[in-house]
């Protein structure tokens, strides 16, 4: 009745102990026998005739690897690349105009066809920019890890692999996004009939790169896919440089870029690629049979061919493209800027007449 609030009575008794949180059963903390049993159960549930185990399992198991979670980031990177293509292309066209003027004078830009195809030149500048940027990122941030791959190529095919490092995961997402944007751009250009901006061969190249990266991510061979893409970018840089010098009709640049293009092609695609990637795929994958012994031999053979045959076909294409590239460089260097490239393909004779 006094209106005063009485204090609450003191708590009595023992405090209830909190139960320790259950440790989530993940691939990293499962015993080896439990891992094999879980994989066999997952494959059996999805059908033993499936070439790929049900998601998120792969032919090899990477800790905390869920490739489908990266799809939003890949789409975002593709959108950024589309914006950068416009910005870098505009800046590249302006810089190319100034460089051509400094090399040949204002008369080189005459309306009689002498000069470069500046729209195509801008696209080449964009490809050069992202090839250089991605290669520099790989060398600077993933170089030490990649060196260990070459020292022990068995890491690529180990059945149990550690989680991807942050730089490697970012590199794979960035590469997938850039190739997605390039494939969409070229498909749209071909649909509109702009054959100067794209070609069926280049569209096939970027689509094939996307397929290789998607398959390697889904099967667990992420490190193999990253190495293959890096080896391709290492040669694309010099090819881009050759196209730029060809468009500007810069003989000194062409004479410098041409041998570097051929040498880089021989080193990266005709030596490193078969010596380490293909050889390891043939020699370092036998242990996977033990982990998938519950699958029929036909299915195991199909799964093995899924990642070995494309590598061998790609090497044969490298040999074929090297012959074509050598012939093209011979025509460009010996005959001027009349071959295909970033510039106008039909102006070689006009440029020669203009110089005379």
């Amino acid at each position: 009745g006094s209106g005063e609030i009485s204090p609450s009575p003191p708590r009595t008794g023992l405090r209830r102990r909190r139960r320790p949180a259950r440790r989530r059963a993940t691939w990293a903390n499962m015993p080896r026998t439990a891992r094999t049993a879980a994989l066999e159960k997952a494959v059996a549930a999805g059908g033993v005739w499936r070439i790929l185990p049900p998601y998120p399992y792969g032919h090899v198991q990477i800790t905390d690897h869920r490739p489908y979670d990266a799809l939003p980031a890949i789409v975002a990177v593709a959108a950024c690349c589309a914006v950068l293509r416009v910005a870098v292309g505009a800046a590249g066209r302006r810089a190319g105009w100034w460089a051509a003027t400094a090399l040949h004078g204002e008369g080189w830009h005459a309306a009689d066809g002498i000069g470069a195809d500046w729209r195509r030149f801008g696209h080449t500048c964009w490809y050069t920019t992202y090839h250089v940027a991605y290669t520099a990122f790989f060398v600077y941030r993933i170089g030490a890890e990649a060196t260990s791959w070459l020292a022990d190529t068995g890491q690529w095919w180990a059945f149990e692999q550690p989680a991807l490092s942050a730089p490697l995961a970012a590199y794979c997402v960035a590469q997938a996004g850039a190739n997605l944007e390039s494939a969409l751009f070229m498909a749209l250009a071909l649909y509109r009939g702009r054959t100067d901006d794209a070609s069926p061969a280049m569209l096939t190249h970027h689509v094939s790169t996307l397929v290789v990266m998607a398959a390697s991510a889904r099967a667990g061979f992420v490190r193999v896919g990253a190495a293959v893409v890096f080896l391709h970018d290492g040669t694309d840089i010099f090819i881009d440089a050759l196209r730029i010098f060809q468009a500007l009709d810069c003989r000194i640049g062409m004479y410098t870029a041409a041998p570097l293009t051929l040498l880089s092609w021989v080193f990266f695609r005709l030596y490193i690629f078969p010596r380490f990637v293909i050889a390891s795929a043939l020699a370092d994958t036998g242990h996977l049979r033990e982990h998938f012994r519950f699958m029929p031999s036909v299915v195991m053979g199909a799964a093995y061919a899924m990642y070995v045959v494309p590598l061998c076909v790609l090497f044969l294409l490298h040999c074929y493209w090297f012959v074509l590239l050598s012939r093209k460089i011979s025509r460009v260097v010996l005959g001027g800027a009349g071959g295909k490239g970033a510039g106008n393909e039909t102006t070689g004779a006009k440029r020669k007449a203009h110089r005379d």
Side-chain angles (χ1 to χ4, degrees):
S2 62
E4 296 181 358
I5 301 176
S6 58
S8 59
R11 296 181 180 180
T12 58
L14 298 177
R15 293 184 178 180
R16 183 178 299 177
R17 293 183 178 181
R18 294 182 179 180
R19 294 181 179 179
R22 292 184 177 180
R23 189 178 184 184
R24 184 182 178 184
T26 61
W27 189 268
N29 56 43
M30 291 171 60
R32 181 181 296 272
T33 55
R35 296 176 184 177
T36 304
L39 182 61
E40 182 175 0
K41 182 179 179 181
V43 172
V48 74
W49 288 96
R50 294 181 58 167
I51 295 179
L52 281 171
Y55 183 83
Y57 294 103
H59 290 157
V60 299
Q61 316 307 321
I62 301 177
T63 304
D64 299 329
H65 179 59
R66 305 184 71 88
Y68 294 167
D69 293 349
L71 290 178
I74 292 174
V75 174
V77 171
C80 292
C81 288
V83 175
L84 289 174
R85 176 188 290 273
V86 177
V88 174
R93 289 192 296 270
R94 183 178 296 273
W97 181 279
W98 289 342
T101 303
L103 288 171
H104 309 292
E106 290 287 346
W108 196 76
H109 304 290
D112 60 353
I114 300 174
D117 182 350
W118 294 113
R119 184 177 65 182
R120 194 175 182 183
F121 185 87
H123 295 319
T124 303
C125 290
W126 158 241
Y127 291 127
T128 306
T129 300
Y130 97 70
H131 286 150
V132 171
Y134 282 24
T135 301
F137 178 85
F138 187 95
V139 172
Y140 179 70
R141 297 300 306 275
I142 314 175
E145 182 179 355
T147 303
S148 69
W149 299 344
L150 298 181
D152 180 15
T153 55
Q155 299 178 68
W156 283 334
W157 315 100
F159 182 69
E160 299 170 8
Q161 300 186 15
L164 301 178
S165 63
L168 180 58
Y171 177 79
C172 294
V173 170
Q175 280 285 7
N179 280 277
L180 175 61
E181 187 274 339
S182 297
L184 293 175
F185 168 80
M186 292 184 179
L188 183 60
L190 291 176
Y191 176 77
R192 293 178 175 178
R194 295 181 177 178
T195 56
D196 289 340
D197 294 338
S199 65
M202 289 306 299
L203 175 61
T204 303
H205 167 73
H206 286 287
V207 172
S208 300
T209 303
L210 279 176
V211 172
V212 169
M213 297 194 68
S216 63
R218 176 62 182 85
F221 303 119
V222 180
R223 293 171 172 86
V224 182
V228 171
V229 174
F230 168 74
L231 293 177
H232 283 71
D233 281 355
T235 56
D236 287 340
I237 292 175
F238 299 104
I239 295 175
D240 293 337
L242 180 61
R243 288 173 175 170
I244 289 177
F245 290 129
Q246 178 188 352
L248 298 177
D249 199 13
C250 178
R251 286 302 189 92
I252 296 178
M254 286 192 291
Y255 292 152
T256 304
L260 292 177
T261 299
L262 296 178
L263 290 175
S264 64
W265 192 285
V266 171
F267 180 72
F268 287 112
R269 301 197 186 193
L270 300 184
Y271 172 69
I272 296 293
F273 180 69
R275 166 66 178 80
F276 292 96
V277 179
I278 296 180
S280 65
L282 297 174
D284 298 332
T285 54
H287 64 283
L288 296 179
R289 179 182 294 271
E290 297 297 325
H291 297 280
F292 291 94
R293 60 183 180 273
F294 52 84
M295 297 179 65
S297 299
V298 176
V299 179
M300 292 184 63
Y304 182 72
M306 187 180 69
Y307 53 84
V308 173
V309 172
L311 294 176
C312 296
V313 172
L314 188 57
F315 173 70
L316 295 178
L317 289 175
H318 288 168
C319 298
Y320 173 70
W321 290 334
F322 178 74
V323 174
L324 297 182
L325 184 63
S326 301
R327 293 177 179 175
K328 177 182 176 180
I329 288 179
S330 298
R331 292 196 304 267
V332 170
V333 174
L334 299 178
K340 284 187 177 181
N344 193 331
E345 311 168 8
T346 62
T347 60
K350 292 182 179 180
R351 290 176 181 174
K352 185 177 184 301
H354 176 71
R355 286 195 301 266
D356 294 342

